[in-house]
Amino acid sequence: MIHTARFCIFMLLLTQAFTVFAGSAQVYVWRNEQGVLVFSDSPKPGAVELDVKTPNTVKSSIDTSILDIKPKAIDNNYQVEIIQPKNKATIRDNTGSAYVSGRIKPVFKRGLTIQLYVDDKPYKEPQTHSMFVLRDIDRGEHQIKMSLLNDKGKVIATSPPVTFYMHRASVNKAN
């Protein structure tokens, strides 16, 4: 069974290989003393000539006028969105840490940066990705937004503001 499958695969591959030479050479097959099939382009006594069919070829010209081969203009109509935290979310962290992530559409190109604003003040320096970690944020209500900046530092898109509430345990001790 395995030898039959191997033989079929071998014949299929061989047939494919010989289609290249079909127009220029004859192919002969015979079994050697060990019973192995031998293929050759020169005849031998007892060899059988294979009937190799020439492949169907179609010669035609292709009309490329319908193809859209103009370079695509990159859409610079960017949209910035804050994904985390959700609007009106409460973050419970005694260290005042919060994770902020955003999404930029369409494609975030090289040279663009993102500036995070917390309570309308820039938070650290602009960076090349939209994941931020806020540290030591005071208790209470805060508003964040992200602005996408081009390579010259000009704002090209800004997210809608997101309000979140930082909940930290009180540092006051009961007497």
Side-chain angles (χ1 to χ4, degrees):
M1 179 74 175
I2 294 174
H3 294 293
T4 305
R6 285 184 183 167
F7 176 73
C8 289
I9 292 171
F10 176 74
M11 288 301 291
L12 176 66
L13 292 173
L14 188 64
T15 304
Q16 295 297 318
F18 281 132
T19 58
V20 174
F21 303 105
S24 61
Q26 300 296 326
V27 179
Y28 302 92
V29 64
W30 69 88
R31 289 198 181 271
N32 66 10
E33 295 80 25
Q34 290 80 28
V36 176
L37 280 176
V38 177
F39 296 87
S40 177
D41 61 350
S42 54
K44 182 174 179 172
V48 176
E49 184 177 344
L50 290 178
D51 181 23
V52 180
K53 295 184 170 59
T54 58
N56 293 334
T57 57
V58 177
K59 293 182 181 180
S60 67
S61 62
I62 299 172
D63 180 16
T64 59
S65 65
I66 61 170
L67 298 177
D68 184 12
I69 54 176
K70 296 178 196 108
K72 297 278 185 203
I74 296 176
D75 182 15
N76 287 332
N77 187 17
Y78 287 99
Q79 296 175 352
V80 182
E81 174 185 18
I82 295 176
I83 304 300
Q84 181 183 347
K86 298 288 185 194
N87 196 32
K88 306 286 184 188
T90 298
I91 299 173
R92 290 174 172 79
D93 189 292
N94 287 337
T95 66
S97 297
Y99 297 94
V100 178
S101 67
R103 181 179 355 200
I104 311 300
K105 291 181 184 177
V107 176
F108 192 86
K109 293 190 309 189
R110 183 179 294 231
L112 299 179
T113 55
I114 299 177
Q115 177 67 63
L116 178 68
Y117 294 89
V118 178
D119 299 325
D120 288 324
K121 295 179 187 141
Y123 185 80
K124 298 191 177 182
E125 296 295 318
Q127 58 187 36
T128 58
H129 55 84
S130 60
M131 301 283 293
F132 294 85
V133 180
L134 304 178
R135 301 280 186 215
D136 202 28
I137 300 297
D138 292 333
R139 291 173 55 142
E141 180 180 316
H142 298 280
Q143 190 177 68
I144 55 174
K145 66 181 178 180
M146 289 182 182
S147 289
L148 184 63
L149 311 174
N150 67 12
D151 56 352
K152 295 178 175 68
K154 180 184 174 195
V155 175
I156 57 176
T158 300
S159 71
V162 169
T163 300
F164 72 94
Y165 305 94
M166 178 59 69
H167 180 80
R168 294 174 75 169
S170 174
V171 292
N172 296 334
K173 295 186 181 191
N175 290 337

